[in-house]
Amino acid sequence: MSLSFYFKPFIYAFLLTLAITPLMIYFAKKLKFLDIPKDERRVHNKPMPIGGGFGMYLVISFLCLIYLEHDKPLWMLLISSTIIVFSGLYDDKWGLSPKLKFLFQIIAAIFLIIGGVKIEFFTNPFGAEDIFNLINLFSIPITIFWICGITNTINLIDGLDGLAAGISMICAISMFFITENMNHVAVTLLCALVAGSCLGFLPYNFNPAKIFMGDTGALYLGFIISFITIQGVMKQAAILMMFVPVLALGVPVFDTTFAMIRRKLQGKSIVEADKGHLHHRLLAKGLNQRQTVLTLYAISIIFGILANLIADFKSQTGLVISVLIIAIIILIGIYTGMITGKEKK
């Protein structure tokens, strides 16, 4: 398909989200869906409408029904994403424990697996035709781990106006070009819908924000992106394809991974909030909200370009380069204190 084929769905997603978000602001205020700052981690100082991600969910789901084939994977995606969204809505309004959040994510992941969305096999890049099949005993838990992991990475970086929406848009665009090159029409179209919807939400969410997407939106976007990565690249029989989405989602994946390791090393719960995320550190360096978000957009674009380049390499070359890139990122994480919590002087 030509790129122009995906332009109309992208524009529809953009315009519909642009149109529906003011309604989300109105109803959030009416129904008292408000984020009230309660601790020092919050960067806003007044109650803000929350749950704006519900509009993106409505738009993307509606356009999926129009543009995508009504097959089992689509119906399971719609059912599972609805579970994610309503758990997010409940959390935004009343609060939900981390354990219950994970439970809903696992249930949603199981629905995707029922729809045939799972990581099943990969090739040995250093052996000719060897294919390692992941029998269901391993395939299902690996798939659940991946879905829950990616779902939460977007949620955990949602700490500044426009950050999660912009990063999700950049990730969706990166995956758009990767999946389009692989001729995965349905997944590529979904990438266009996600990117368009995020772009339509940003005018209301970029600093100074008029509404937050909340867990409703952050968990939903993470969940949809996890679906895209599995259906788009991780069903390819090449272990290299495991690294492509990791790089495309570089900012949220590494920031979340480093946060979990850091908290563990400090004797804290891995789900305990702290101010050690990359955006907190950039703010501490003197950048304002807009500068911090734009800096992270730029880093995410670089990761996206790297992911697209890696996807075009031969398996062995791409694998070696991917490992080297990740090793460099880990060293940077150690040096800056992102992993250890202790910054080098």
Side-chain angles (χ1 to χ4, degrees):
M1 294 289 181
S2 65
L3 294 180
S4 60
F5 172 80
Y6 303 101
F7 186 68
K8 187 184 289 186
F10 171 84
I11 292 297
Y12 282 157
F14 165 70
L15 293 175
L16 286 173
T17 305
L18 195 67
I20 202 173
T21 302
L23 292 175
M24 296 298 107
I25 296 173
Y26 171 79
F27 282 113
K29 292 178 178 179
K30 191 81 171 176
L31 300 173
K32 305 296 183 184
F33 272 77
L34 300 172
D35 187 349
I36 301 172
K38 298 176 182 177
D39 56 59
E40 62 176 10
R41 291 184 66 253
R42 305 289 183 175
V43 294
H44 63 289
N45 53 21
K46 63 179 182 180
M48 287 289 296
I50 197 170
F54 190 70
M56 289 190 282
Y57 156 75
L58 292 176
V59 168
I60 294 171
S61 298
F62 172 69
L63 292 176
C64 279
L65 287 171
I66 291 178
Y67 284 106
L68 298 181
E69 181 183 351
H70 292 186
D71 54 12
K72 191 174 181 180
L74 175 61
W75 289 119
M76 291 299 104
L77 174 63
L78 294 177
I79 291 171
S80 56
S81 60
T82 300
I83 293 170
I84 292 293
V85 164
F86 279 93
S87 71
L89 275 174
Y90 188 94
D91 185 55
D92 287 337
K93 177 67 173 176
W94 295 285
L96 202 61
S97 71
K99 288 183 180 179
L100 280 176
K101 284 185 187 180
F102 277 118
L103 176 61
F104 283 116
Q105 291 164 22
I106 290 170
I107 292 170
I110 290 171
F111 273 100
L112 281 189
I113 290 168
I114 292 171
V117 180
K118 58 183 178 179
I119 303 164
E120 294 178 299
F121 58 87
F122 59 86
T123 58
N124 177 3
F126 302 106
E129 300 294 333
D130 295 336
I131 295 181
F132 299 99
N133 287 301
L134 292 176
I135 59 174
N136 282 338
L137 180 63
F138 298 106
S139 175
I140 291 174
I142 288 172
T143 302
I144 291 174
F145 175 82
W146 179 264
I147 292 171
C148 292
I150 300 302
T151 298
N152 283 288
T153 58
I154 301 298
N155 190 38
L156 290 172
I157 65 161
D158 186 24
L160 296 178
D161 296 352
L163 183 56
I167 295 293
S168 296
M169 179 182 71
I170 293 167
C171 292
I173 292 171
S174 299
M175 293 303 301
F176 172 91
F177 288 107
I178 292 168
T179 57
E180 195 276 333
N181 191 45
M182 295 176 176
N183 202 31
H184 294 320
V185 177
V187 181
T188 306
L189 202 148
L190 182 56
C191 290
L193 296 181
V194 172
S197 189
C198 288
L199 184 62
F201 184 70
L202 272 174
Y204 306 99
N205 186 235
F206 198 74
N207 183 260
K210 299 177 180 67
I211 187 170
F212 296 156
M213 68 168 62
D215 276 19
T216 306
L219 291 174
Y220 172 67
L221 288 174
F223 187 77
I224 290 291
I225 290 172
S226 74
F227 173 88
I228 288 169
T229 57
I230 294 174
Q231 289 293 90
V233 297
M234 293 180 72
K235 282 197 168 186
Q236 299 292 311
I239 196 170
L240 173 62
M241 290 299 115
M242 300 285 286
F243 290 91
V244 170
V246 170
L247 290 175
L249 295 161
V251 169
V253 164
F254 290 112
D255 189 45
T256 300
T257 303
F258 291 170
M260 293 172 69
I261 296 172
R262 180 176 65 249
R263 292 164 189 168
K264 193 69 177 175
L265 290 174
Q266 294 174 344
K268 301 176 181 178
S269 167
I270 61 172
V271 297
E272 181 180 343
D274 63 16
K275 295 193 72 172
H277 288 285
L278 185 53
H279 58 271
H280 290 128
R281 290 171 178 270
L282 291 174
L283 288 171
K285 293 291 185 182
L287 275 65
N288 62 34
Q289 273 210 56
R290 288 191 172 200
Q291 291 169 336
T292 298
V293 169
L294 291 174
T295 299
L296 292 174
Y297 285 179
I299 295 171
S300 192
I301 289 170
I302 292 170
F303 273 121
I305 292 171
L306 287 174
N308 274 268
L309 292 174
I310 292 296
D312 286 335
F313 282 140
K314 291 182 179 179
S315 186
Q316 291 185 19
T317 304
L319 185 60
V320 171
I321 294 174
S322 297
V323 171
L324 286 174
I325 291 172
I326 292 172
I328 291 169
I329 294 167
I330 292 171
L331 289 174
I332 292 172
I334 294 171
Y335 183 80
T336 58
M338 287 288 294
I339 293 178
T340 62
K342 297 177 181 179
E343 191 169 348
K344 299 289 183 182
K345 301 296 184 182

